[in-house]
Amino acid sequence: MEDCIFCKIAKGEIPSSKVYEDEDILAFKDINPVTPVHILVIPKKHIESLNNVEPEDEKLLGKIILTIKNIAKEQEISEKGYRVVNNCGEDGGQEVKHLHFHILGGKKLGTKIV
Ligand code: AMP
Ligand code: ZN
């Protein structure tokens, strides 16, 4: 989608620190990390948010979850654990309107989500 920063990153029009890429998915380091490991995993296809996921996206979403698992292992945070966050919509604090999952790890996180 035009004017979507993550679509531009997915197309390579804006540089990113890539961690993983295949034909459907891109993972890159968050530009403003809040934990020692902070990676964003996005579908290359523009989907605005979790609210806009359709049944046809079922396989893609499953693939994203498996990709998250594999990245966590590569980043050596699997054993100690990590958090996966999706911010959806205004109350959810979503700033970039292209579906993305945060992988947060590398330190002990608080037990409270908010
Ligand atoms: P959210 O609040 O869930 O929409 O998160 C958006 C995230 O995207 C924030 O953590 C930003 O730091 C991150 N972000 C924004 N622009 C870029 C960029 N060009 N490269 C990497 N991460 C970015
Ligand atoms: Zn987009």
Side-chain angles (χ1 to χ4, degrees):
M1 213 188 107
E2 272 175 49
D3 291 338
C4 170
I5 187 168
F6 285 0
C7 280
K8 287 182 180 168
I9 287 175
K11 287 184 206 147
E13 293 170 8
I14 290 177
S16 67
S17 185
K18 278 183 207 171
V19 171
Y20 173 82
E21 181 170 22
D22 66 28
E23 64 272 29
D24 303 311
I25 295 168
L26 181 69
F28 53 96
K29 291 185 183 169
D30 196 292
I31 203 165
N32 190 207
V34 296
T35 46
V37 177
H38 187 173
I39 291 165
L40 301 175
V41 184
I42 68 167
K44 287 189 171 177
K45 171 186 174 184
H46 182 84
I47 299 174
E48 187 175 318
S49 79
L50 217 45
N51 283 340
N52 304 95
V53 168
E54 300 291 346
E56 68 186 32
D57 301 317
E58 189 176 340
K59 260 193 143 172
L60 175 60
L61 270 290
K63 195 172 169 187
I64 287 173
I65 296 295
L66 287 168
T67 299
I68 289 170
K69 171 196 147 182
N70 292 336
I71 291 170
K73 188 145 183 70
E74 277 164 25
Q75 296 286 323
E76 300 182 329
I77 56 173
S78 290
E79 276 187 31
K80 282 202 160 183
Y82 53 95
R83 183 169 294 161
V84 178
V85 173
N86 170 257
N87 295 327
C88 180
E90 193 167 341
D91 279 6
Q94 182 179 5
E95 287 181 350
V96 177
K97 307 288 190 274
H98 180 127
L99 181 67
H100 56 279
F101 295 87
H102 299 253
I103 305 175
L104 302 165
K107 65 174 257 191
K108 186 150 179 72
L109 301 171
T111 53
K112 297 278 188 289
I113 293 170
V114 289

mmCIF file of all heavy atoms in Angstrom, residues 80-106:
data_model
loop_
_atom_site.group_PDB
_atom_site.id
_atom_site.type_symbol
_atom_site.label_atom_id
_atom_site.label_comp_id
_atom_site.label_asym_id
_atom_site.label_seq_id
_atom_site.Cartn_x
_atom_site.Cartn_y
_atom_site.Cartn_z
ATOM 1 N N LYS A 80 15.007 -19.065 27.702
ATOM 2 C CA LYS A 80 14.684 -18.149 28.808
ATOM 3 C C LYS A 80 13.295 -17.560 28.658
ATOM 4 O O LYS A 80 12.672 -17.181 29.635
ATOM 5 C CB LYS A 80 15.728 -17.038 28.891
ATOM 6 C CG LYS A 80 17.024 -17.504 29.547
ATOM 7 C CD LYS A 80 17.799 -16.317 30.086
ATOM 8 C CE LYS A 80 18.799 -16.771 31.146
ATOM 9 N NZ LYS A 80 19.516 -15.624 31.723
ATOM 10 N N GLY A 81 12.840 -17.458 27.425
ATOM 11 C CA GLY A 81 11.491 -16.955 27.185
ATOM 12 C C GLY A 81 11.466 -15.550 26.615
ATOM 13 O O GLY A 81 12.469 -14.835 26.615
ATOM 14 N N TYR A 82 10.321 -15.197 26.152
ATOM 15 C CA TYR A 82 10.149 -13.912 25.471
ATOM 16 C C TYR A 82 8.662 -13.591 25.414
ATOM 17 O O TYR A 82 7.820 -14.392 25.819
ATOM 18 C CB TYR A 82 10.750 -13.973 24.051
ATOM 19 C CG TYR A 82 10.242 -15.119 23.217
ATOM 20 C CD1 TYR A 82 9.176 -14.968 22.339
ATOM 21 C CD2 TYR A 82 10.806 -16.396 23.343
ATOM 22 C CE1 TYR A 82 8.705 -16.029 21.591
ATOM 23 C CE2 TYR A 82 10.332 -17.466 22.596
ATOM 24 C CZ TYR A 82 9.287 -17.280 21.725
ATOM 25 O OH TYR A 82 8.808 -18.323 20.993
ATOM 26 N N ARG A 83 8.341 -12.406 24.908
ATOM 27 C CA ARG A 83 6.943 -11.987 24.802
ATOM 28 C C ARG A 83 6.656 -11.602 23.348
ATOM 29 O O ARG A 83 7.503 -10.976 22.700
ATOM 30 C CB ARG A 83 6.695 -10.801 25.731
ATOM 31 C CG ARG A 83 5.250 -10.312 25.768
ATOM 32 C CD ARG A 83 5.046 -9.324 26.921
ATOM 33 N NE ARG A 83 5.202 -9.990 28.209
ATOM 34 C CZ ARG A 83 5.438 -9.350 29.361
ATOM 35 N NH1 ARG A 83 5.531 -8.051 29.391
ATOM 36 N NH2 ARG A 83 5.570 -10.042 30.481
ATOM 37 N N VAL A 84 5.482 -11.964 22.888
ATOM 38 C CA VAL A 84 5.036 -11.581 21.547
ATOM 39 C C VAL A 84 3.848 -10.642 21.721
ATOM 40 O O VAL A 84 2.892 -10.968 22.429
ATOM 41 C CB VAL A 84 4.625 -12.811 20.713
ATOM 42 C CG1 VAL A 84 4.112 -12.390 19.338
ATOM 43 C CG2 VAL A 84 5.802 -13.769 20.563
ATOM 44 N N VAL A 85 3.949 -9.460 21.084
ATOM 45 C CA VAL A 85 2.919 -8.433 21.273
ATOM 46 C C VAL A 85 2.365 -7.994 19.926
ATOM 47 O O VAL A 85 3.116 -7.771 18.969
ATOM 48 C CB VAL A 85 3.519 -7.197 22.003
ATOM 49 C CG1 VAL A 85 2.512 -6.044 22.050
ATOM 50 C CG2 VAL A 85 3.965 -7.565 23.409
ATOM 51 N N ASN A 86 1.057 -7.895 19.864
ATOM 52 C CA ASN A 86 0.412 -7.243 18.723
ATOM 53 C C ASN A 86 -0.445 -6.114 19.256
ATOM 54 O O ASN A 86 -1.357 -6.342 20.058
ATOM 55 C CB ASN A 86 -0.470 -8.229 17.939
ATOM 56 C CG ASN A 86 -1.332 -7.502 16.910
ATOM 57 O OD1 ASN A 86 -2.520 -7.294 17.120
ATOM 58 N ND2 ASN A 86 -0.720 -7.086 15.838
ATOM 59 N N ASN A 87 -0.143 -4.900 18.841
ATOM 60 C CA ASN A 87 -0.983 -3.760 19.196
ATOM 61 C C ASN A 87 -2.017 -3.591 18.092
ATOM 62 O O ASN A 87 -1.657 -3.499 16.917
ATOM 63 C CB ASN A 87 -0.127 -2.495 19.318
ATOM 64 C CG ASN A 87 0.873 -2.591 20.460
ATOM 65 O OD1 ASN A 87 0.595 -3.211 21.487
ATOM 66 N ND2 ASN A 87 2.037 -2.000 20.287
ATOM 67 N N CYS A 88 -3.292 -3.559 18.480
ATOM 68 C CA CYS A 88 -4.366 -3.464 17.492
ATOM 69 C C CYS A 88 -5.228 -2.236 17.761
ATOM 70 O O CYS A 88 -5.812 -2.106 18.843
ATOM 71 C CB CYS A 88 -5.214 -4.740 17.531
ATOM 72 S SG CYS A 88 -6.578 -4.708 16.348
ATOM 73 N N GLY A 89 -5.260 -1.350 16.770
ATOM 74 C CA GLY A 89 -6.157 -0.197 16.853
ATOM 75 C C GLY A 89 -5.742 0.847 17.870
ATOM 76 O O GLY A 89 -4.679 0.757 18.485
ATOM 77 N N GLU A 90 -6.583 1.819 18.017
ATOM 78 C CA GLU A 90 -6.235 2.991 18.828
ATOM 79 C C GLU A 90 -6.032 2.657 20.304
ATOM 80 O O GLU A 90 -5.008 3.000 20.888
ATOM 81 C CB GLU A 90 -7.318 4.066 18.675
ATOM 82 C CG GLU A 90 -6.848 5.386 19.233
ATOM 83 C CD GLU A 90 -7.729 6.547 18.837
ATOM 84 O OE1 GLU A 90 -8.489 6.411 17.853
ATOM 85 O OE2 GLU A 90 -7.658 7.571 19.525
ATOM 86 N N ASP A 91 -6.990 1.952 20.893
ATOM 87 C CA ASP A 91 -6.837 1.612 22.315
ATOM 88 C C ASP A 91 -5.677 0.641 22.528
ATOM 89 O O ASP A 91 -5.080 0.600 23.611
ATOM 90 C CB ASP A 91 -8.134 1.007 22.879
ATOM 91 C CG ASP A 91 -9.165 2.073 23.250
ATOM 92 O OD1 ASP A 91 -8.918 3.265 22.968
ATOM 93 O OD2 ASP A 91 -10.226 1.710 23.815
ATOM 94 N N GLY A 92 -5.370 -0.142 21.501
ATOM 95 C CA GLY A 92 -4.251 -1.083 21.591
ATOM 96 C C GLY A 92 -2.892 -0.427 21.391
ATOM 97 O O GLY A 92 -1.865 -1.085 21.536
ATOM 98 N N GLY A 93 -2.897 0.862 21.039
ATOM 99 C CA GLY A 93 -1.646 1.595 20.878
ATOM 100 C C GLY A 93 -0.936 1.327 19.562
ATOM 101 O O GLY A 93 0.281 1.509 19.459
ATOM 102 N N GLN A 94 -1.682 0.928 18.545
ATOM 103 C CA GLN A 94 -1.063 0.647 17.240
ATOM 104 C C GLN A 94 -0.702 1.940 16.526
ATOM 105 O O GLN A 94 -1.584 2.755 16.242
ATOM 106 C CB GLN A 94 -2.016 -0.190 16.369
ATOM 107 C CG GLN A 94 -1.403 -0.560 15.024
ATOM 108 C CD GLN A 94 -2.343 -1.408 14.159
ATOM 109 O OE1 GLN A 94 -3.493 -1.643 14.527
ATOM 110 N NE2 GLN A 94 -1.848 -1.832 13.016
ATOM 111 N N GLU A 95 0.599 2.105 16.252
ATOM 112 C CA GLU A 95 1.040 3.320 15.558
ATOM 113 C C GLU A 95 1.205 3.101 14.070
ATOM 114 O O GLU A 95 0.843 3.959 13.271
ATOM 115 C CB GLU A 95 2.343 3.826 16.176
ATOM 116 C CG GLU A 95 2.088 4.461 17.544
ATOM 117 C CD GLU A 95 3.336 5.001 18.204
ATOM 118 O OE1 GLU A 95 4.445 4.730 17.713
ATOM 119 O OE2 GLU A 95 3.179 5.683 19.227
ATOM 120 N N VAL A 96 1.752 1.964 13.701
ATOM 121 C CA VAL A 96 1.938 1.663 12.273
ATOM 122 C C VAL A 96 0.800 0.753 11.828
ATOM 123 O O VAL A 96 0.602 -0.336 12.381
ATOM 124 C CB VAL A 96 3.313 0.997 12.018
ATOM 125 C CG1 VAL A 96 3.452 0.635 10.543
ATOM 126 C CG2 VAL A 96 4.445 1.920 12.453
ATOM 127 N N LYS A 97 0.071 1.228 10.812
ATOM 128 C CA LYS A 97 -1.164 0.532 10.402
ATOM 129 C C LYS A 97 -0.878 -0.555 9.363
ATOM 130 O O LYS A 97 -1.428 -0.553 8.255
ATOM 131 C CB LYS A 97 -2.176 1.552 9.855
ATOM 132 C CG LYS A 97 -2.460 2.714 10.804
ATOM 133 C CD LYS A 97 -3.281 2.280 12.006
ATOM 134 C CE LYS A 97 -3.777 3.456 12.820
ATOM 135 N NZ LYS A 97 -2.840 3.967 13.828
ATOM 136 N N HIS A 98 0.045 -1.423 9.716
ATOM 137 C CA HIS A 98 0.382 -2.608 8.925
ATOM 138 C C HIS A 98 0.664 -3.689 9.966
ATOM 139 O O HIS A 98 1.558 -3.506 10.814
ATOM 140 C CB HIS A 98 1.597 -2.319 8.039
ATOM 141 C CG HIS A 98 2.054 -3.462 7.173
ATOM 142 N ND1 HIS A 98 2.240 -3.346 5.797
ATOM 143 C CD2 HIS A 98 2.383 -4.744 7.482
ATOM 144 C CE1 HIS A 98 2.652 -4.507 5.304
ATOM 145 N NE2 HIS A 98 2.759 -5.377 6.314
ATOM 146 N N LEU A 99 -0.099 -4.770 9.910
ATOM 147 C CA LEU A 99 -0.007 -5.827 10.925
ATOM 148 C C LEU A 99 1.438 -6.195 11.246
ATOM 149 O O LEU A 99 2.234 -6.435 10.336
ATOM 150 C CB LEU A 99 -0.757 -7.071 10.404
ATOM 151 C CG LEU A 99 -0.801 -8.280 11.334
ATOM 152 C CD1 LEU A 99 -1.644 -7.991 12.578
ATOM 153 C CD2 LEU A 99 -1.360 -9.498 10.589
ATOM 154 N N HIS A 100 1.763 -6.217 12.519
ATOM 155 C CA HIS A 100 3.110 -6.614 12.935
ATOM 156 C C HIS A 100 3.071 -7.186 14.334
ATOM 157 O O HIS A 100 2.235 -6.813 15.158
ATOM 158 C CB HIS A 100 4.085 -5.428 12.867
ATOM 159 C CG HIS A 100 3.656 -4.228 13.655
ATOM 160 N ND1 HIS A 100 2.731 -3.321 13.187
ATOM 161 C CD2 HIS A 100 4.011 -3.783 14.890
ATOM 162 C CE1 HIS A 100 2.549 -2.372 14.094
ATOM 163 N NE2 HIS A 100 3.307 -2.640 15.140
ATOM 164 N N PHE A 101 3.994 -8.101 14.555
ATOM 165 C CA PHE A 101 4.140 -8.734 15.862
ATOM 166 C C PHE A 101 5.511 -8.365 16.408
ATOM 167 O O PHE A 101 6.520 -8.520 15.716
ATOM 168 C CB PHE A 101 3.998 -10.256 15.738
ATOM 169 C CG PHE A 101 2.615 -10.672 15.302
ATOM 170 C CD1 PHE A 101 2.309 -10.745 13.943
ATOM 171 C CD2 PHE A 101 1.628 -10.935 16.230
ATOM 172 C CE1 PHE A 101 1.018 -11.094 13.530
ATOM 173 C CE2 PHE A 101 0.346 -11.291 15.817
ATOM 174 C CZ PHE A 101 0.045 -11.370 14.474
ATOM 175 N N HIS A 102 5.531 -7.876 17.646
ATOM 176 C CA HIS A 102 6.786 -7.567 18.318
ATOM 177 C C HIS A 102 7.285 -8.834 19.015
ATOM 178 O O HIS A 102 6.513 -9.473 19.746
ATOM 179 C CB HIS A 102 6.584 -6.511 19.407
ATOM 180 C CG HIS A 102 6.074 -5.180 18.932
ATOM 181 N ND1 HIS A 102 6.864 -4.058 18.875
ATOM 182 C CD2 HIS A 102 4.843 -4.778 18.518
ATOM 183 C CE1 HIS A 102 6.149 -3.019 18.454
ATOM 184 N NE2 HIS A 102 4.912 -3.435 18.234
ATOM 185 N N ILE A 103 8.549 -9.173 18.825
ATOM 186 C CA ILE A 103 9.204 -10.195 19.651
ATOM 187 C C ILE A 103 10.087 -9.439 20.630
ATOM 188 O O ILE A 103 10.987 -8.690 20.213
ATOM 189 C CB ILE A 103 10.084 -11.151 18.822
ATOM 190 C CG1 ILE A 103 9.296 -11.811 17.687
ATOM 191 C CG2 ILE A 103 10.703 -12.223 19.726
ATOM 192 C CD1 ILE A 103 10.163 -12.685 16.765
ATOM 193 N N LEU A 104 9.802 -9.613 21.910
ATOM 194 C CA LEU A 104 10.518 -8.875 22.956
ATOM 195 C C LEU A 104 11.220 -9.874 23.866
ATOM 196 O O LEU A 104 10.573 -10.764 24.442
ATOM 197 C CB LEU A 104 9.524 -8.058 23.789
ATOM 198 C CG LEU A 104 8.683 -7.042 23.006
ATOM 199 C CD1 LEU A 104 7.504 -6.569 23.847
ATOM 200 C CD2 LEU A 104 9.535 -5.852 22.580
ATOM 201 N N GLY A 105 12.534 -9.725 23.987
ATOM 202 C CA GLY A 105 13.260 -10.669 24.838
ATOM 203 C C GLY A 105 14.649 -10.176 25.166
ATOM 204 O O GLY A 105 15.025 -9.044 24.855
ATOM 205 N N GLY A 106 15.396 -11.050 25.821
ATOM 206 C CA GLY A 106 16.768 -10.724 26.198
ATOM 207 C C GLY A 106 16.884 -10.125 27.581
ATOM 208 O O GLY A 106 17.975 -9.752 28.012
#
